Structure formats: C-alpha cells, structure tokens
Amino acid sequence: MSGDVPGRLSYHLSIDGTQRAVTGARLEESLLTVLRERLDVTSVKDACEQGRCGACSVLLDGRLVTACTILAADAADARVVTVAGLGPGGPAAAVRAAFVAHGAVQCGFCTPGLVVAVTDLLARRPGADEEEIRETLAGNICRCTGYGRILEAVRAVQAGRGGLAGRSGPARRGGRTGLGGAAGQDGEAGRGDQAGRGDSPGWA
C-alpha cells in the first residue's frame, strides 16, 4: 500500500480472483464504495450503507461480511468474493437456479447478497436447520418476496432438488415466469441477528 499523495492511498484488491489496482482512494472509503465507484463492480448493491440490509454481502477471506462496513484499505491483502466470483457451477449455481425456480426473486436488488449468504451457509452447514437458516439470513432484507419463497429455495437446494422442483410448483403462482407474488404473500418471517451484520427489520 502506498500514499504518494497526502490523504490518498493506492493498493491492490483481490476481487473474484483478479488483482485490481486502486489508486488515489481516501482512507475512509468503504469496500462497497471502492468496488462500485472505483472498480465498477456493480453486482454488489448499495442500499443502507449501515450493514443492516445485506445487499452488499461479499465473502472476505471466506467470511460473510457487508462491504459497506469494511474499509477497502483493510481488504488490501484479503480475498474478496462477490456473487460473480462464486462461479458458474457448484453450490452457487444450485442456489441461483432454486431462487428462480421457487420465485425467490422479484425486483432482484437483494438477490446478489442473498445468493452469497445462502451459498456461504450451505457450504459451511449443508444440513442447517430452519432456525439456523433464518438466523443466517436475518441480515439480508428482501422487500418484495416475503421470505417464504427464499426459504423454499434454500430447502430445495438442501434436498438436492436445486432449481428443478419449483418449475412446476411455486414459480407459477406469480404470473411471471420464474418470479413470485406480492410482498408478504408467503407470510413467513425470520428472526435473530448474524454476527457482523445488522438487524433485519424485514425478518422481524
């Protein structure tokens, strides 16, 4: 890391396996700001900027974090993985397919963060029970789908059904191919906090 210009820093970040140069950044810039505004990594969404909604969830050295609460300079020697870096296959592919098949995607704004969080959970705890799933996803707010379909998608991946089961079931209810119904329709709510990420009023 260097600071040739007073108050400005230059460093490299490992983003999805690629070294990216950051120049002239201010020390106080968050990882979210640097990803979106300096490196054009827009799959990481900018919403609350307080670590409470999970829209900017990424993996930092394998740990689920909200990019808005991490100083980018502190991530200089770490591995940052966004939803794009989870890869086209493997567990992430099953999670993405299940979200579509079960109508767990509506406006899609929260989806990248949720896919990162679910993929991380199922990699660590493939047999996570209902309470653990809800606890883990408590830091990700979805204002459209009502969470029931998100939970359906997670259960489908756990059951090895991936995105296939929902194609003849819940995904049809919303009127749009692969997309679900109105906010709160499913009527399920989560609870609890997740370490390092904020409360989620959407699960209260």
Side-chain angles (χ1 to χ4, degrees):
M1 186 179 303
S2 63
D4 296 335
V5 178
R8 300 284 177 165
L9 300 173
S10 296
Y11 47 85
H12 287 79
L13 292 176
S14 172
I15 310 297
D16 298 331
T18 300
Q19 289 292 316
R20 303 285 302 273
V22 179
T23 58
R26 298 185 305 276
L27 176 62
E28 65 270 23
E29 289 182 9
S30 71
L31 180 58
L32 172 64
T33 297
V34 169
L35 286 172
R36 289 185 60 86
E37 298 181 12
R38 293 187 177 276
L39 301 178
D40 200 30
V41 180
T42 55
S43 64
V44 181
K45 300 304 180 184
D46 184 358
C48 75
E49 297 188 356
Q50 298 177 3
R52 298 180 65 85
C53 75
C56 64
S57 295
V58 297
L59 299 177
L60 183 66
D61 278 343
R63 183 169 60 95
L64 184 65
V65 300
T66 46
C68 67
T69 62
I70 303 293
L71 289 177
D74 284 346
D77 296 320
R79 291 175 292 106
V80 179
V81 177
T82 73
V83 68
L86 294 175
V95 172
R96 286 191 294 264
F99 266 56
V100 173
H102 291 269
V105 177
Q106 196 161 34
C107 84
F109 191 84
C110 67
T111 304
L114 275 163
V115 169
V116 172
V118 171
T119 302
D120 172 64
L121 169 66
L122 297 181
R124 292 183 292 102
R125 295 279 300 157
D129 62 19
E130 181 82 7
E131 182 175 358
E132 190 170 1
I133 295 169
R134 290 172 180 266
E135 291 279 351
T136 297
L137 300 185
N140 291 80
I141 294 176
C142 173
R143 302 186 189 282
C144 300
T145 66
Y147 297 100
R149 295 181 183 191
I150 294 170
L151 293 171
E152 276 186 46
V154 176
R155 294 184 195 113
V157 175
Q158 287 181 306
R161 291 181 283 122
L164 299 178
R167 296 188 190 283
S168 60
R172 290 183 172 177
R173 295 199 299 262
R176 286 190 291 164
T177 302
L179 299 181
Q185 175 179 333
D186 302 292
E188 295 198 38
R191 56 187 179 276
D193 302 335
Q194 180 174 349
R197 301 199 303 168
D199 298 337
S200 173
W203 287 76

